[in-house]
């Protein structure tokens, strides 16, 4: 297994290109199940999760043809008999759940292993199942699998929010299933995330009739058949936000290119409140310091609120702010695995329920830390950029799930960072 080694204290300066969105890629790839014609996806990031989804689709009878140096993928159904996403895959990546809706709509059957809990907390799929049932599917759980079956699905009205708000992949699943259902489906309290909007745009290119994109109410008029399409993914807003935080913690000046600032309004606003100047540019933005880092009280929320996927990275930044901050996690109330590791780097953070109190310190000091999940790893790398001495972030396979060539991109900005084999870590903990 590899580790990332960072020598802290070097300002980031220069330009970084943002990759295509991982969280848009996964449901969009799964949507290829809905047609017998080729679906071509451009600007795919080279990430473990994307490769895992390609493997799942292969196993579901879909040919995967990579081109343009691995950034374009053409998916063509060759065999529409397989209907099973086994536990071995689902435990590798919970995003595999997004094959459920497409399988059920197109192949009338889906067997998808129930995802277990994970380090960011309980991650139930009850809303996905409720949505499928509302569309007319019968759902059983047998031996750890969800077994769903249906004739042609039937459009209906579905209220899709749970205790922590709407569900992103649940909305994606219902939208895919309803695209081929008979009649009209209205999803109330739908997720508005840009990734959900991107999926709807692809489905519409395939002949679906979806309106209300980006609002809490999505209307889907079912069609008999979907056809092939070509689609370019939106930029990864969480990768962009992560580079904003990385630039900001070092006090450097970095230009982010190939991104959409409009998808990051809450992040930009929160950065500005802690004295980071963000100048919008036609194709991205410039990030630079605007005074001393100030503390901030903030809470995560579904889009357009502050994303839970940026909570750990902003917390890393607040560890060295002048004063005390309060971070409240409202989407995944237990998503604080990074706190103990940031404290190993000298941060002063304690948690109280779903809040973390962050007392800003003068400086962090490098140490060995363990990445527990994707965004926690990013937070540790960000902290390592300013920690005195050397920081080793272990178990970096987490970071490879969601950040394309992170050490290369940071190195090009002037960070002293490299990847090396970690003899202390052997088998990847799933
Ligand atoms: C997506 O997960 C993202 N994953 C997550 O990104 C992201 O953190 C999350 O949305 C929230 O923005 C992908 O897109 C692949 P949810 P998803 O269903 O769709 C509760 C990352 O780091 N809930 O929107 O699985 C749930 O427990 C990852 O890239 C139910 O109660 O998340 C949570 O509190 C991690 N019942 C809230 O809803 C359900 O059936 C939102 O979860 C489903 C969810």
């Amino acid at each position: 297994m590899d580790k990332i080694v960072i020598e802290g204290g070097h300002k980031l300066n220069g330009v970084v290109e943002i990759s295509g969105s991982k969280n848009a890629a996964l449901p969009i790839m799964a949507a290829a199940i809905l047609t017998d014609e080729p679906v071509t996806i451009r600007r795919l990031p080279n990430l473990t999760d994307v490769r895992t989804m390609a493997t799942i689709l292969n196993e579901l009878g879909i040919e995967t043809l990579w081109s343009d140096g691995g950034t374009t993928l053409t998916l063509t159904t060759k065999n529409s008999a397989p209907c099973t996403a086994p536990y071995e895959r689902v435990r590798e990546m919970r995003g595999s759940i997004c094959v459920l809706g497409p399988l059920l709509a197109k192949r009338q059957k889906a067997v998808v292993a129930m995802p277990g809990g994970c380090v960011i907390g309980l991650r139930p799929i009850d809303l996905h199942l409720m949505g499928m049932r509302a569309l007319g599917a019968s759902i059983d759980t047998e031996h750890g699998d969800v077994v769903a079956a249906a004739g042609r699905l039937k459009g209906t009205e579905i209220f899709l929010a749970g205790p922590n708000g709407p569900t992103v992949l649940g909305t994606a699943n219902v939208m895919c299933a309803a695209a081929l259902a008979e009649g009209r489906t209205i999803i109330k309290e739908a997720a508005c995330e840009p990734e959900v909007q991107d999926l709807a745009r692809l489905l519409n290119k395939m002949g679906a009739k979806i309106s209300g994109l980006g609002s809490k109410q999505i209307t889907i008029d079912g069609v008999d058949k979907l056809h092939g399409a070509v689609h370019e993914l939106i930029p990864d807003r969480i990768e962009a936000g992560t580079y904003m935080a990385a630039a900001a913690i070092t006090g450097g000046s970095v230009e982010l290119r190939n991104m959409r600032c409009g998808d990051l309004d809450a992040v930009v606003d929160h950065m500005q409140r802690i004295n980071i100047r963000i100048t919008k540019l036609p194709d991205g933005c410039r990030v630079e310091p605007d005074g001393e880092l100030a503390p901030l009280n903030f809470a995560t929320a579904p889009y357009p609120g502050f994303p839970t996927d940026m909570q750990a990275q902003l917390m890393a930044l607040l560890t060295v702010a002048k004063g005390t901050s309060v971070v409240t996690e409202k989407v995944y109330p237990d998503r604080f695995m990074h706190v103990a590791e940031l404290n190993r780097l000298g941060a002063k953070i304690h948690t109280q329920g779903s809040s973390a109190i962050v007392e800003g310190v003068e400086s962090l000091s490098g140490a060995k830390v363990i990445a527990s999940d994707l965004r926690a790893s990013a937070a540790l790398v960000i902290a390592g950029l300013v920690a005195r001495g050397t920081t080793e972030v272990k178990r970096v396979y987490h970071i490879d799930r969601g950040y394309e060539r992170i050490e290369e991109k940071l190195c090009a900005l002037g960070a002293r960072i490299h990847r090396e084999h970690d003899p202390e870590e052997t088998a990847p903990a799933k």
Side-chain angles (χ1 to χ4, degrees):
M1 222 187 299
D2 289 348
K3 62 184 173 185
I4 282 181
V5 182
I6 310 156
E7 188 201 301
H10 299 276
K11 272 189 187 177
L12 300 189
N13 279 299
V15 175
V16 61
E17 301 273 339
I18 301 305
S19 302
S21 161
K22 165 187 85 90
N23 286 350
L26 303 179
I28 280 179
M29 289 169 76
I33 295 172
L34 291 164
T35 175
D36 296 327
E37 295 179 17
V39 173
T40 297
I41 306 163
R42 298 213 169 110
R43 205 181 175 186
L44 270 172
N46 181 6
L47 300 171
T48 326
D49 277 10
V50 168
R51 291 192 295 273
T52 303
M53 181 53 87
T55 305
I56 292 171
L57 293 175
N58 264 166
E59 290 169 356
L60 288 170
I62 294 185
E63 177 191 76
T64 48
L65 216 84
W66 296 91
S67 54
D68 297 335
T71 58
T72 299
L73 175 64
T74 300
L75 297 157
T76 313
T77 301
K78 294 290 173 188
N79 173 7
S80 50
C83 291
T84 303
Y87 183 58
E88 291 64 42
R89 297 283 169 242
V90 178
R91 75 194 271 263
E92 267 176 64
M93 183 184 76
R94 298 179 51 90
S96 348
I97 191 69
C98 52
V99 299
L100 175 68
L103 281 178
L104 194 56
K106 184 68 170 46
R107 302 187 186 180
Q108 266 85 54
K109 186 170 179 197
V111 181
V112 181
M114 296 264 287
C118 71
V119 288
I120 69 174
L122 281 179
R123 296 186 65 186
I125 55 162
D126 57 311
L127 298 169
H128 299 241
L129 303 187
M130 187 191 77
M132 298 302 126
R133 277 199 186 98
L135 289 166
S138 71
I139 311 265
D140 287 310
T141 49
E142 287 169 12
H143 312 296
D145 290 334
V146 172
V147 181
R152 187 169 182 198
L153 298 168
K154 286 205 167 46
T156 184
E157 266 193 33
I158 308 173
F159 181 88
L160 209 54
N164 302 325
T167 161
V168 173
L169 292 181
T171 303
N173 259 328
V174 172
M175 215 159 61
C176 285
L180 283 180
E182 188 187 333
R184 172 170 285 192
T185 300
I186 297 177
I187 310 178
K188 294 190 168 170
E189 287 301 303
C192 308
E193 269 69 1
E195 295 77 17
V196 174
Q197 298 180 42
D198 207 29
L199 169 65
R201 275 192 292 272
L202 165 77
L203 292 171
N204 281 343
K205 283 184 197 165
M206 292 167 71
K209 292 190 174 150
I210 306 176
S211 56
L213 311 193
S215 79
K216 286 183 163 196
Q217 181 163 315
I218 297 180
T219 303
I220 306 133
D221 284 308
V223 295
D224 293 339
K225 205 173 170 197
L226 293 171
H227 52 73
V230 177
H231 186 73
E232 180 170 308
L233 295 174
I234 53 168
D236 196 311
R237 64 191 169 106
I238 305 300
E239 188 199 21
T242 302
Y243 283 102
M244 283 183 188
I249 203 167
T250 68
S253 167
V254 170
E255 188 179 319
L256 276 65
R257 285 206 189 134
N258 272 328
M259 63 161 290
R260 306 196 310 180
C261 279
D263 290 346
L264 278 155
D265 282 343
V267 174
V268 168
D269 166 81
H270 284 48
M271 295 273 177
Q272 286 169 337
R273 288 195 220 173
I274 61 172
N275 294 337
I276 296 157
R277 184 179 304 138
I278 312 263
T279 314
K280 294 189 182 168
L281 304 170
D283 188 29
C285 69
R286 169 164 294 284
V287 184
E288 53 204 339
D290 193 15
E292 210 166 48
L293 269 184
L296 180 72
N297 296 347
F298 77 96
T300 62
Y303 190 82
F306 189 90
T308 172
D309 291 346
M310 273 298 299
Q311 180 254 107
Q313 300 91 310
L314 184 54
M315 187 189 289
L317 201 45
L318 295 173
T319 62
V320 288
K322 195 92 186 154
T324 300
S325 305
V326 181
V327 177
T328 303
E329 179 51 69
K330 291 195 166 171
V331 179
Y332 293 113
D334 297 325
R335 194 174 196 175
F336 286 128
M337 294 294 284
H338 42 285
V339 165
E341 299 302 304
L342 287 171
N343 283 346
R344 278 185 55 72
L345 294 173
K348 274 196 183 166
I349 311 170
H350 68 275
T351 54
Q352 264 177 21
S354 59
S355 291
I357 292 91
V358 187
E359 285 175 62
V361 294
E362 277 296 315
S363 66
L364 300 174
S365 80
K368 291 182 182 180
V369 286
I370 294 183
S372 55
D373 84 79
L374 171 54
R375 309 305 171 188
S377 329
L380 296 174
V381 169
I382 290 169
L385 292 173
V386 285
R388 282 175 286 109
T390 305
T391 296
E392 290 186 10
V393 182
K394 294 165 155 304
R395 299 194 188 162
V396 293
Y397 58 91
H398 287 294
I399 218 163
D400 295 331
R401 296 186 51 195
Y403 291 93
E404 191 175 45
R405 298 180 286 107
I406 189 168
E407 70 276 20
E408 247 178 70
K409 288 189 183 185
L410 285 171
C411 227
L413 292 173
R416 300 275 166 87
I417 179 170
H418 67 273
R419 177 187 292 253
E420 62 186 47
H421 174 66
D422 186 354
E424 291 169 14
E425 295 283 340
T426 46
K430 292 264 166 84

